[in-house]
Amino acid sequence: MIDALGSVGSLLLVGGTSDIAVATAHRYLAERPLRVVVAARDTPRRGEVAADLTAAGADVQVVDFDADDPESPARMVAEAAAGGDIDVAVVAFGQLGDADRLRTDSEAVAQIGHVNYVAPAVVGTELANRMREQGHGVIVALSSVAGERVRASNFVYGSTKAGMDAFYSGLADSLAGTGVSVLVVRPGFVKSKMTAHLPDVPLSTTPEAVADAIVTGVRRGGTRCGCPAPCAGS
């Protein structure tokens, strides 16, 4: 359970190999040792992340999660919760996609719509159910500024983030009074492995800066965060 100082005892990273998820775990581990559940596909990167967080002092549990598998969210949350309550869950998976292909390829549109909207909504529902039962917890949803104002250059990606953002904002309202809260984080362009192939842009940020915004937002009980904009709501 989150203590009186806002320190977290357990952390679930859904999409646990993302740079932001890993940076968030390190940010919390700088405060105290904790249990970290890394939920991701079985890849060499998952093993590297688990070893890295273990070396940093985490009690690491690894569980399988595949956004393309409809049965994966319920199974993943059940396995993560079997080891104890989940204080904070970071929903950090998603795809940027190929903007040029997404303009004309309907199958690609369906696929990114599933990974960026349908799967996060199902994961959020499963997490909310579990956290209602335990009576506490914070769900952190990694949205994007691209969902606030959808641009022609990547409108498919932006529209999926807009849908995800709306789902988690509504979920936050529905959880009022349950002891469970939701923090929607909307970073701008993040320099990470997902965007490594893209040219840098002004006002870009880093996974570490987003992690700082997440930890600050959770501690303040915020409901929305930009990066570097301050958190809002309570």
Side-chain angles (χ1 to χ4, degrees), residues 11-51:
L11 177 68
L12 168 60
L13 306 175
V14 188
T17 61
S18 87
D19 291 341
I20 293 174
V22 174
T24 302
H26 277 289
R27 179 66 176 74
Y28 276 120
L29 283 165
E31 298 181 353
R32 58 175 279 192
L34 65 149
R35 182 172 73 97
V36 179
V37 183
V38 178
R41 289 181 295 176
D42 185 4
T43 64
R45 166 72 175 163
R46 188 178 73 173
E48 293 169 1
V49 168

PDB file of all heavy atoms in Angstrom, residues 11-51:
ATOM      1  N   LEU A  11       4.396  -2.179  -7.789  1.00  0.00           N
ATOM      2  CA  LEU A  11       4.228  -1.467  -9.055  1.00  0.00           C
ATOM      3  C   LEU A  11       4.053  -2.487 -10.169  1.00  0.00           C
ATOM      4  O   LEU A  11       4.873  -3.396 -10.320  1.00  0.00           O
ATOM      5  CB  LEU A  11       5.473  -0.612  -9.319  1.00  0.00           C
ATOM      6  CG  LEU A  11       5.563   0.177 -10.620  1.00  0.00           C
ATOM      7  CD1 LEU A  11       4.524   1.299 -10.649  1.00  0.00           C
ATOM      8  CD2 LEU A  11       6.972   0.775 -10.776  1.00  0.00           C
ATOM      9  N   LEU A  12       2.982  -2.335 -10.949  1.00  0.00           N
ATOM     10  CA  LEU A  12       2.749  -3.182 -12.118  1.00  0.00           C
ATOM     11  C   LEU A  12       3.009  -2.365 -13.376  1.00  0.00           C
ATOM     12  O   LEU A  12       2.408  -1.302 -13.570  1.00  0.00           O
ATOM     13  CB  LEU A  12       1.297  -3.704 -12.117  1.00  0.00           C
ATOM     14  CG  LEU A  12       0.801  -4.378 -13.407  1.00  0.00           C
ATOM     15  CD1 LEU A  12       1.632  -5.596 -13.766  1.00  0.00           C
ATOM     16  CD2 LEU A  12      -0.684  -4.753 -13.273  1.00  0.00           C
ATOM     17  N   LEU A  13       3.889  -2.876 -14.214  1.00  0.00           N
ATOM     18  CA  LEU A  13       4.214  -2.214 -15.478  1.00  0.00           C
ATOM     19  C   LEU A  13       3.602  -3.019 -16.615  1.00  0.00           C
ATOM     20  O   LEU A  13       4.084  -4.107 -16.937  1.00  0.00           O
ATOM     21  CB  LEU A  13       5.736  -2.125 -15.663  1.00  0.00           C
ATOM     22  CG  LEU A  13       6.531  -1.480 -14.525  1.00  0.00           C
ATOM     23  CD1 LEU A  13       8.037  -1.585 -14.816  1.00  0.00           C
ATOM     24  CD2 LEU A  13       6.126  -0.016 -14.347  1.00  0.00           C
ATOM     25  N   VAL A  14       2.523  -2.511 -17.206  1.00  0.00           N
ATOM     26  CA  VAL A  14       1.861  -3.194 -18.322  1.00  0.00           C
ATOM     27  C   VAL A  14       2.450  -2.615 -19.609  1.00  0.00           C
ATOM     28  O   VAL A  14       2.229  -1.444 -19.929  1.00  0.00           O
ATOM     29  CB  VAL A  14       0.333  -2.995 -18.291  1.00  0.00           C
ATOM     30  CG1 VAL A  14      -0.325  -3.879 -19.357  1.00  0.00           C
ATOM     31  CG2 VAL A  14      -0.226  -3.308 -16.911  1.00  0.00           C
ATOM     32  N   GLY A  15       3.163  -3.464 -20.329  1.00  0.00           N
ATOM     33  CA  GLY A  15       4.051  -2.950 -21.368  1.00  0.00           C
ATOM     34  C   GLY A  15       5.376  -2.623 -20.686  1.00  0.00           C
ATOM     35  O   GLY A  15       5.938  -1.545 -20.859  1.00  0.00           O
ATOM     36  N   GLY A  16       5.808  -3.570 -19.888  1.00  0.00           N
ATOM     37  CA  GLY A  16       6.904  -3.326 -18.948  1.00  0.00           C
ATOM     38  C   GLY A  16       8.257  -3.119 -19.557  1.00  0.00           C
ATOM     39  O   GLY A  16       9.207  -2.821 -18.830  1.00  0.00           O
ATOM     40  N   THR A  17       8.386  -3.275 -20.872  1.00  0.00           N
ATOM     41  CA  THR A  17       9.679  -3.033 -21.504  1.00  0.00           C
ATOM     42  C   THR A  17       9.771  -1.630 -22.098  1.00  0.00           C
ATOM     43  O   THR A  17      10.799  -1.287 -22.673  1.00  0.00           O
ATOM     44  CB  THR A  17       9.956  -4.069 -22.609  1.00  0.00           C
ATOM     45  OG1 THR A  17       8.947  -3.965 -23.616  1.00  0.00           O
ATOM     46  CG2 THR A  17       9.972  -5.480 -22.035  1.00  0.00           C
ATOM     47  N   SER A  18       8.724  -0.836 -21.984  1.00  0.00           N
ATOM     48  CA  SER A  18       8.780   0.520 -22.536  1.00  0.00           C
ATOM     49  C   SER A  18       9.758   1.370 -21.740  1.00  0.00           C
ATOM     50  O   SER A  18       9.941   1.171 -20.526  1.00  0.00           O
ATOM     51  CB  SER A  18       7.393   1.167 -22.526  1.00  0.00           C
ATOM     52  OG  SER A  18       7.142   1.799 -21.290  1.00  0.00           O
ATOM     53  N   ASP A  19      10.363   2.308 -22.397  1.00  0.00           N
ATOM     54  CA  ASP A  19      11.349   3.161 -21.722  1.00  0.00           C
ATOM     55  C   ASP A  19      10.711   3.954 -20.582  1.00  0.00           C
ATOM     56  O   ASP A  19      11.335   4.152 -19.537  1.00  0.00           O
ATOM     57  CB  ASP A  19      11.989   4.121 -22.732  1.00  0.00           C
ATOM     58  CG  ASP A  19      12.884   3.402 -23.723  1.00  0.00           C
ATOM     59  OD1 ASP A  19      13.294   2.263 -23.434  1.00  0.00           O
ATOM     60  OD2 ASP A  19      13.186   3.994 -24.787  1.00  0.00           O
ATOM     61  N   ILE A  20       9.484   4.426 -20.769  1.00  0.00           N
ATOM     62  CA  ILE A  20       8.817   5.191 -19.715  1.00  0.00           C
ATOM     63  C   ILE A  20       8.499   4.295 -18.525  1.00  0.00           C
ATOM     64  O   ILE A  20       8.682   4.684 -17.364  1.00  0.00           O
ATOM     65  CB  ILE A  20       7.544   5.860 -20.257  1.00  0.00           C
ATOM     66  CG1 ILE A  20       7.910   6.940 -21.283  1.00  0.00           C
ATOM     67  CG2 ILE A  20       6.721   6.473 -19.119  1.00  0.00           C
ATOM     68  CD1 ILE A  20       6.709   7.561 -21.987  1.00  0.00           C
ATOM     69  N   ALA A  21       8.041   3.081 -18.781  1.00  0.00           N
ATOM     70  CA  ALA A  21       7.742   2.159 -17.685  1.00  0.00           C
ATOM     71  C   ALA A  21       8.998   1.873 -16.871  1.00  0.00           C
ATOM     72  O   ALA A  21       8.972   1.898 -15.635  1.00  0.00           O
ATOM     73  CB  ALA A  21       7.149   0.864 -18.246  1.00  0.00           C
ATOM     74  N   VAL A  22      10.086   1.586 -17.544  1.00  0.00           N
ATOM     75  CA  VAL A  22      11.336   1.266 -16.849  1.00  0.00           C
ATOM     76  C   VAL A  22      11.833   2.481 -16.059  1.00  0.00           C
ATOM     77  O   VAL A  22      12.266   2.358 -14.907  1.00  0.00           O
ATOM     78  CB  VAL A  22      12.399   0.792 -17.855  1.00  0.00           C
ATOM     79  CG1 VAL A  22      13.748   0.595 -17.159  1.00  0.00           C
ATOM     80  CG2 VAL A  22      11.955  -0.505 -18.524  1.00  0.00           C
ATOM     81  N   ALA A  23      11.751   3.661 -16.665  1.00  0.00           N
ATOM     82  CA  ALA A  23      12.189   4.875 -15.962  1.00  0.00           C
ATOM     83  C   ALA A  23      11.330   5.124 -14.731  1.00  0.00           C
ATOM     84  O   ALA A  23      11.833   5.576 -13.690  1.00  0.00           O
ATOM     85  CB  ALA A  23      12.117   6.077 -16.907  1.00  0.00           C
ATOM     86  N   THR A  24      10.037   4.810 -14.811  1.00  0.00           N
ATOM     87  CA  THR A  24       9.152   4.983 -13.657  1.00  0.00           C
ATOM     88  C   THR A  24       9.553   4.041 -12.522  1.00  0.00           C
ATOM     89  O   THR A  24       9.583   4.422 -11.353  1.00  0.00           O
ATOM     90  CB  THR A  24       7.696   4.739 -14.065  1.00  0.00           C
ATOM     91  OG1 THR A  24       7.342   5.654 -15.114  1.00  0.00           O
ATOM     92  CG2 THR A  24       6.753   4.954 -12.889  1.00  0.00           C
ATOM     93  N   ALA A  25       9.861   2.801 -12.876  1.00  0.00           N
ATOM     94  CA  ALA A  25      10.297   1.857 -11.846  1.00  0.00           C
ATOM     95  C   ALA A  25      11.579   2.347 -11.170  1.00  0.00           C
ATOM     96  O   ALA A  25      11.707   2.298  -9.946  1.00  0.00           O
ATOM     97  CB  ALA A  25      10.510   0.480 -12.466  1.00  0.00           C
ATOM     98  N   HIS A  26      12.519   2.819 -11.954  1.00  0.00           N
ATOM     99  CA  HIS A  26      13.763   3.328 -11.358  1.00  0.00           C
ATOM    100  C   HIS A  26      13.495   4.547 -10.476  1.00  0.00           C
ATOM    101  O   HIS A  26      14.143   4.715  -9.433  1.00  0.00           O
ATOM    102  CB  HIS A  26      14.762   3.678 -12.458  1.00  0.00           C
ATOM    103  CG  HIS A  26      15.540   2.497 -12.955  1.00  0.00           C
ATOM    104  ND1 HIS A  26      16.514   1.874 -12.200  1.00  0.00           N
ATOM    105  CD2 HIS A  26      15.482   1.811 -14.127  1.00  0.00           C
ATOM    106  CE1 HIS A  26      17.027   0.860 -12.883  1.00  0.00           C
ATOM    107  NE2 HIS A  26      16.415   0.792 -14.062  1.00  0.00           N
ATOM    108  N   ARG A  27      12.561   5.372 -10.877  1.00  0.00           N
ATOM    109  CA  ARG A  27      12.236   6.559 -10.082  1.00  0.00           C
ATOM    110  C   ARG A  27      11.691   6.164  -8.709  1.00  0.00           C
ATOM    111  O   ARG A  27      12.060   6.755  -7.688  1.00  0.00           O
ATOM    112  CB  ARG A  27      11.223   7.405 -10.850  1.00  0.00           C
ATOM    113  CG  ARG A  27      10.762   8.659 -10.146  1.00  0.00           C
ATOM    114  CD  ARG A  27      11.860   9.677  -9.954  1.00  0.00           C
ATOM    115  NE  ARG A  27      11.322  10.895  -9.366  1.00  0.00           N
ATOM    116  CZ  ARG A  27      10.961  11.011  -8.077  1.00  0.00           C
ATOM    117  NH1 ARG A  27      11.096   9.989  -7.267  1.00  0.00           N
ATOM    118  NH2 ARG A  27      10.467  12.150  -7.622  1.00  0.00           N
ATOM    119  N   TYR A  28      10.822   5.146  -8.686  1.00  0.00           N
ATOM    120  CA  TYR A  28      10.302   4.676  -7.400  1.00  0.00           C
ATOM    121  C   TYR A  28      11.381   3.936  -6.604  1.00  0.00           C
ATOM    122  O   TYR A  28      11.455   4.054  -5.375  1.00  0.00           O
ATOM    123  CB  TYR A  28       9.094   3.769  -7.618  1.00  0.00           C
ATOM    124  CG  TYR A  28       7.789   4.526  -7.782  1.00  0.00           C
ATOM    125  CD1 TYR A  28       7.035   4.417  -8.942  1.00  0.00           C
ATOM    126  CD2 TYR A  28       7.307   5.340  -6.752  1.00  0.00           C
ATOM    127  CE1 TYR A  28       5.837   5.097  -9.096  1.00  0.00           C
ATOM    128  CE2 TYR A  28       6.111   6.032  -6.895  1.00  0.00           C
ATOM    129  CZ  TYR A  28       5.383   5.907  -8.060  1.00  0.00           C
ATOM    130  OH  TYR A  28       4.206   6.597  -8.194  1.00  0.00           O
ATOM    131  N   LEU A  29      12.207   3.167  -7.291  1.00  0.00           N
ATOM    132  CA  LEU A  29      13.254   2.415  -6.593  1.00  0.00           C
ATOM    133  C   LEU A  29      14.289   3.335  -5.955  1.00  0.00           C
ATOM    134  O   LEU A  29      14.980   2.927  -5.015  1.00  0.00           O
ATOM    135  CB  LEU A  29      13.944   1.454  -7.576  1.00  0.00           C
ATOM    136  CG  LEU A  29      13.142   0.193  -7.911  1.00  0.00           C
ATOM    137  CD1 LEU A  29      13.712  -0.489  -9.150  1.00  0.00           C
ATOM    138  CD2 LEU A  29      13.149  -0.775  -6.715  1.00  0.00           C
ATOM    139  N   ALA A  30      14.404   4.554  -6.452  1.00  0.00           N
ATOM    140  CA  ALA A  30      15.316   5.516  -5.830  1.00  0.00           C
ATOM    141  C   ALA A  30      14.829   5.919  -4.436  1.00  0.00           C
ATOM    142  O   ALA A  30      15.613   6.430  -3.625  1.00  0.00           O
ATOM    143  CB  ALA A  30      15.461   6.754  -6.717  1.00  0.00           C
ATOM    144  N   GLU A  31      13.530   5.665  -4.157  1.00  0.00           N
ATOM    145  CA  GLU A  31      12.958   6.021  -2.855  1.00  0.00           C
ATOM    146  C   GLU A  31      13.009   4.867  -1.869  1.00  0.00           C
ATOM    147  O   GLU A  31      13.256   5.052  -0.694  1.00  0.00           O
ATOM    148  CB  GLU A  31      11.506   6.481  -3.034  1.00  0.00           C
ATOM    149  CG  GLU A  31      11.358   7.722  -3.899  1.00  0.00           C
ATOM    150  CD  GLU A  31       9.905   8.159  -4.029  1.00  0.00           C
ATOM    151  OE1 GLU A  31       9.016   7.423  -3.560  1.00  0.00           O
ATOM    152  OE2 GLU A  31       9.673   9.239  -4.594  1.00  0.00           O
ATOM    153  N   ARG A  32      12.727   3.631  -2.361  1.00  0.00           N
ATOM    154  CA  ARG A  32      12.685   2.472  -1.461  1.00  0.00           C
ATOM    155  C   ARG A  32      12.605   1.203  -2.303  1.00  0.00           C
ATOM    156  O   ARG A  32      12.160   1.255  -3.470  1.00  0.00           O
ATOM    157  CB  ARG A  32      11.468   2.544  -0.533  1.00  0.00           C
ATOM    158  CG  ARG A  32      10.151   2.615  -1.275  1.00  0.00           C
ATOM    159  CD  ARG A  32       8.942   2.567  -0.365  1.00  0.00           C
ATOM    160  NE  ARG A  32       8.621   1.200   0.039  1.00  0.00           N
ATOM    161  CZ  ARG A  32       7.465   0.871   0.639  1.00  0.00           C
ATOM    162  NH1 ARG A  32       6.573   1.780   0.922  1.00  0.00           N
ATOM    163  NH2 ARG A  32       7.220  -0.369   0.980  1.00  0.00           N
ATOM    164  N   PRO A  33      13.008   0.062  -1.739  1.00  0.00           N
ATOM    165  CA  PRO A  33      12.811  -1.196  -2.474  1.00  0.00           C
ATOM    166  C   PRO A  33      11.319  -1.477  -2.623  1.00  0.00           C
ATOM    167  O   PRO A  33      10.525  -1.099  -1.769  1.00  0.00           O
ATOM    168  CB  PRO A  33      13.477  -2.236  -1.555  1.00  0.00           C
ATOM    169  CG  PRO A  33      14.358  -1.469  -0.646  1.00  0.00           C
ATOM    170  CD  PRO A  33      13.700  -0.130  -0.460  1.00  0.00           C
ATOM    171  N   LEU A  34      10.929  -2.140  -3.692  1.00  0.00           N
ATOM    172  CA  LEU A  34       9.522  -2.464  -3.900  1.00  0.00           C
ATOM    173  C   LEU A  34       9.383  -3.663  -4.818  1.00  0.00           C
ATOM    174  O   LEU A  34      10.350  -4.066  -5.475  1.00  0.00           O
ATOM    175  CB  LEU A  34       8.748  -1.271  -4.471  1.00  0.00           C
ATOM    176  CG  LEU A  34       9.118  -0.778  -5.870  1.00  0.00           C
ATOM    177  CD1 LEU A  34       7.884  -0.204  -6.547  1.00  0.00           C
ATOM    178  CD2 LEU A  34      10.174   0.310  -5.774  1.00  0.00           C
ATOM    179  N   ARG A  35       8.169  -4.219  -4.839  1.00  0.00           N
ATOM    180  CA  ARG A  35       7.860  -5.311  -5.762  1.00  0.00           C
ATOM    181  C   ARG A  35       7.462  -4.716  -7.102  1.00  0.00           C
ATOM    182  O   ARG A  35       6.611  -3.817  -7.152  1.00  0.00           O
ATOM    183  CB  ARG A  35       6.703  -6.159  -5.201  1.00  0.00           C
ATOM    184  CG  ARG A  35       6.335  -7.360  -6.072  1.00  0.00           C
ATOM    185  CD  ARG A  35       5.331  -8.260  -5.354  1.00  0.00           C
ATOM    186  NE  ARG A  35       4.005  -7.671  -5.293  1.00  0.00           N
ATOM    187  CZ  ARG A  35       3.021  -7.958  -6.160  1.00  0.00           C
ATOM    188  NH1 ARG A  35       3.239  -8.823  -7.150  1.00  0.00           N
ATOM    189  NH2 ARG A  35       1.846  -7.390  -6.045  1.00  0.00           N
ATOM    190  N   VAL A  36       8.082  -5.177  -8.166  1.00  0.00           N
ATOM    191  CA  VAL A  36       7.774  -4.698  -9.504  1.00  0.00           C
ATOM    192  C   VAL A  36       7.361  -5.880 -10.367  1.00  0.00           C
ATOM    193  O   VAL A  36       8.109  -6.857 -10.491  1.00  0.00           O
ATOM    194  CB  VAL A  36       8.980  -3.978 -10.154  1.00  0.00           C
ATOM    195  CG1 VAL A  36       8.615  -3.504 -11.569  1.00  0.00           C
ATOM    196  CG2 VAL A  36       9.434  -2.799  -9.306  1.00  0.00           C
ATOM    197  N   VAL A  37       6.179  -5.793 -10.955  1.00  0.00           N
ATOM    198  CA  VAL A  37       5.697  -6.816 -11.869  1.00  0.00           C
ATOM    199  C   VAL A  37       5.874  -6.298 -13.295  1.00  0.00           C
ATOM    200  O   VAL A  37       5.315  -5.248 -13.648  1.00  0.00           O
ATOM    201  CB  VAL A  37       4.217  -7.169 -11.620  1.00  0.00           C
ATOM    202  CG1 VAL A  37       3.774  -8.293 -12.555  1.00  0.00           C
ATOM    203  CG2 VAL A  37       4.006  -7.570 -10.162  1.00  0.00           C
ATOM    204  N   VAL A  38       6.658  -7.007 -14.074  1.00  0.00           N
ATOM    205  CA  VAL A  38       6.906  -6.629 -15.465  1.00  0.00           C
ATOM    206  C   VAL A  38       6.007  -7.486 -16.351  1.00  0.00           C
ATOM    207  O   VAL A  38       6.220  -8.695 -16.493  1.00  0.00           O
ATOM    208  CB  VAL A  38       8.389  -6.838 -15.844  1.00  0.00           C
ATOM    209  CG1 VAL A  38       8.613  -6.491 -17.313  1.00  0.00           C
ATOM    210  CG2 VAL A  38       9.294  -5.999 -14.947  1.00  0.00           C
ATOM    211  N   ALA A  39       4.982  -6.882 -16.924  1.00  0.00           N
ATOM    212  CA  ALA A  39       4.040  -7.585 -17.796  1.00  0.00           C
ATOM    213  C   ALA A  39       4.346  -7.220 -19.242  1.00  0.00           C
ATOM    214  O   ALA A  39       4.199  -6.065 -19.644  1.00  0.00           O
ATOM    215  CB  ALA A  39       2.601  -7.197 -17.439  1.00  0.00           C
ATOM    216  N   ALA A  40       4.767  -8.213 -19.993  1.00  0.00           N
ATOM    217  CA  ALA A  40       5.180  -7.956 -21.379  1.00  0.00           C
ATOM    218  C   ALA A  40       5.296  -9.285 -22.119  1.00  0.00           C
ATOM    219  O   ALA A  40       5.218 -10.356 -21.507  1.00  0.00           O
ATOM    220  CB  ALA A  40       6.521  -7.219 -21.408  1.00  0.00           C
ATOM    221  N   ARG A  41       5.465  -9.200 -23.413  1.00  0.00           N
ATOM    222  CA  ARG A  41       5.713 -10.413 -24.192  1.00  0.00           C
ATOM    223  C   ARG A  41       7.070 -11.003 -23.821  1.00  0.00           C
ATOM    224  O   ARG A  41       7.964 -10.290 -23.369  1.00  0.00           O
ATOM    225  CB  ARG A  41       5.660 -10.096 -25.689  1.00  0.00           C
ATOM    226  CG  ARG A  41       4.256  -9.785 -26.201  1.00  0.00           C
ATOM    227  CD  ARG A  41       4.266  -9.505 -27.687  1.00  0.00           C
ATOM    228  NE  ARG A  41       5.025  -8.296 -27.983  1.00  0.00           N
ATOM    229  CZ  ARG A  41       5.261  -7.844 -29.208  1.00  0.00           C
ATOM    230  NH1 ARG A  41       4.834  -8.525 -30.250  1.00  0.00           N
ATOM    231  NH2 ARG A  41       5.929  -6.728 -29.389  1.00  0.00           N
ATOM    232  N   ASP A  42       7.203 -12.306 -24.047  1.00  0.00           N
ATOM    233  CA  ASP A  42       8.434 -13.016 -23.708  1.00  0.00           C
ATOM    234  C   ASP A  42       9.487 -12.724 -24.770  1.00  0.00           C
ATOM    235  O   ASP A  42       9.556 -13.402 -25.808  1.00  0.00           O
ATOM    236  CB  ASP A  42       8.156 -14.521 -23.616  1.00  0.00           C
ATOM    237  CG  ASP A  42       9.386 -15.293 -23.151  1.00  0.00           C
ATOM    238  OD1 ASP A  42      10.409 -14.652 -22.828  1.00  0.00           O
ATOM    239  OD2 ASP A  42       9.318 -16.534 -23.119  1.00  0.00           O
ATOM    240  N   THR A  43      10.293 -11.706 -24.518  1.00  0.00           N
ATOM    241  CA  THR A  43      11.343 -11.293 -25.448  1.00  0.00           C
ATOM    242  C   THR A  43      12.654 -11.125 -24.684  1.00  0.00           C
ATOM    243  O   THR A  43      12.654 -10.999 -23.452  1.00  0.00           O
ATOM    244  CB  THR A  43      10.996  -9.943 -26.103  1.00  0.00           C
ATOM    245  OG1 THR A  43      10.950  -8.933 -25.080  1.00  0.00           O
ATOM    246  CG2 THR A  43       9.649  -9.999 -26.831  1.00  0.00           C
ATOM    247  N   PRO A  44      13.773 -11.087 -25.387  1.00  0.00           N
ATOM    248  CA  PRO A  44      15.045 -10.815 -24.696  1.00  0.00           C
ATOM    249  C   PRO A  44      15.025  -9.489 -23.944  1.00  0.00           C
ATOM    250  O   PRO A  44      15.615  -9.376 -22.872  1.00  0.00           O
ATOM    251  CB  PRO A  44      16.055 -10.792 -25.858  1.00  0.00           C
ATOM    252  CG  PRO A  44      15.458 -11.685 -26.895  1.00  0.00           C
ATOM    253  CD  PRO A  44      13.973 -11.440 -26.806  1.00  0.00           C
ATOM    254  N   ARG A  45      14.341  -8.492 -24.480  1.00  0.00           N
ATOM    255  CA  ARG A  45      14.246  -7.192 -23.815  1.00  0.00           C
ATOM    256  C   ARG A  45      13.570  -7.334 -22.445  1.00  0.00           C
ATOM    257  O   ARG A  45      13.990  -6.687 -21.472  1.00  0.00           O
ATOM    258  CB  ARG A  45      13.458  -6.230 -24.715  1.00  0.00           C
ATOM    259  CG  ARG A  45      12.974  -4.949 -24.048  1.00  0.00           C
ATOM    260  CD  ARG A  45      14.068  -3.970 -23.743  1.00  0.00           C
ATOM    261  NE  ARG A  45      13.510  -2.716 -23.223  1.00  0.00           N
ATOM    262  CZ  ARG A  45      14.201  -1.794 -22.577  1.00  0.00           C
ATOM    263  NH1 ARG A  45      15.505  -1.961 -22.386  1.00  0.00           N
ATOM    264  NH2 ARG A  45      13.622  -0.698 -22.136  1.00  0.00           N
ATOM    265  N   ARG A  46      12.547  -8.186 -22.334  1.00  0.00           N
ATOM    266  CA  ARG A  46      11.881  -8.380 -21.042  1.00  0.00           C
ATOM    267  C   ARG A  46      12.864  -8.936 -20.013  1.00  0.00           C
ATOM    268  O   ARG A  46      12.887  -8.493 -18.859  1.00  0.00           O
ATOM    269  CB  ARG A  46      10.683  -9.319 -21.187  1.00  0.00           C
ATOM    270  CG  ARG A  46       9.836  -9.414 -19.921  1.00  0.00           C
ATOM    271  CD  ARG A  46       8.626 -10.307 -20.096  1.00  0.00           C
ATOM    272  NE  ARG A  46       8.985 -11.737 -20.137  1.00  0.00           N
ATOM    273  CZ  ARG A  46       8.102 -12.721 -20.141  1.00  0.00           C
ATOM    274  NH1 ARG A  46       6.797 -12.447 -20.146  1.00  0.00           N
ATOM    275  NH2 ARG A  46       8.488 -13.980 -20.197  1.00  0.00           N
ATOM    276  N   GLY A  47      13.678  -9.891 -20.420  1.00  0.00           N
ATOM    277  CA  GLY A  47      14.672 -10.438 -19.508  1.00  0.00           C
ATOM    278  C   GLY A  47      15.694  -9.396 -19.087  1.00  0.00           C
ATOM    279  O   GLY A  47      16.126  -9.357 -17.929  1.00  0.00           O
ATOM    280  N   GLU A  48      16.080  -8.540 -20.018  1.00  0.00           N
ATOM    281  CA  GLU A  48      17.048  -7.486 -19.698  1.00  0.00           C
ATOM    282  C   GLU A  48      16.457  -6.498 -18.688  1.00  0.00           C
ATOM    283  O   GLU A  48      17.147  -6.056 -17.767  1.00  0.00           O
ATOM    284  CB  GLU A  48      17.445  -6.758 -20.987  1.00  0.00           C
ATOM    285  CG  GLU A  48      18.230  -7.609 -21.978  1.00  0.00           C
ATOM    286  CD  GLU A  48      18.368  -6.963 -23.337  1.00  0.00           C
ATOM    287  OE1 GLU A  48      17.862  -5.824 -23.516  1.00  0.00           O
ATOM    288  OE2 GLU A  48      18.956  -7.595 -24.233  1.00  0.00           O
ATOM    289  N   VAL A  49      15.182  -6.151 -18.885  1.00  0.00           N
ATOM    290  CA  VAL A  49      14.528  -5.214 -17.961  1.00  0.00           C
ATOM    291  C   VAL A  49      14.418  -5.835 -16.576  1.00  0.00           C
ATOM    292  O   VAL A  49      14.692  -5.190 -15.556  1.00  0.00           O
ATOM    293  CB  VAL A  49      13.131  -4.824 -18.491  1.00  0.00           C
ATOM    294  CG1 VAL A  49      12.319  -4.094 -17.411  1.00  0.00           C
ATOM    295  CG2 VAL A  49      13.268  -3.943 -19.722  1.00  0.00           C
ATOM    296  N   ALA A  50      14.030  -7.096 -16.513  1.00  0.00           N
ATOM    297  CA  ALA A  50      13.913  -7.768 -15.222  1.00  0.00           C
ATOM    298  C   ALA A  50      15.256  -7.794 -14.498  1.00  0.00           C
ATOM    299  O   ALA A  50      15.318  -7.538 -13.286  1.00  0.00           O
ATOM    300  CB  ALA A  50      13.372  -9.180 -15.422  1.00  0.00           C
ATOM    301  N   ALA A  51      16.327  -8.104 -15.218  1.00  0.00           N
ATOM    302  CA  ALA A  51      17.655  -8.141 -14.600  1.00  0.00           C
ATOM    303  C   ALA A  51      18.081  -6.752 -14.139  1.00  0.00           C
ATOM    304  O   ALA A  51      18.663  -6.588 -13.053  1.00  0.00           O
ATOM    305  CB  ALA A  51      18.658  -8.707 -15.600  1.00  0.00           C
TER     306      ALA A  51
END
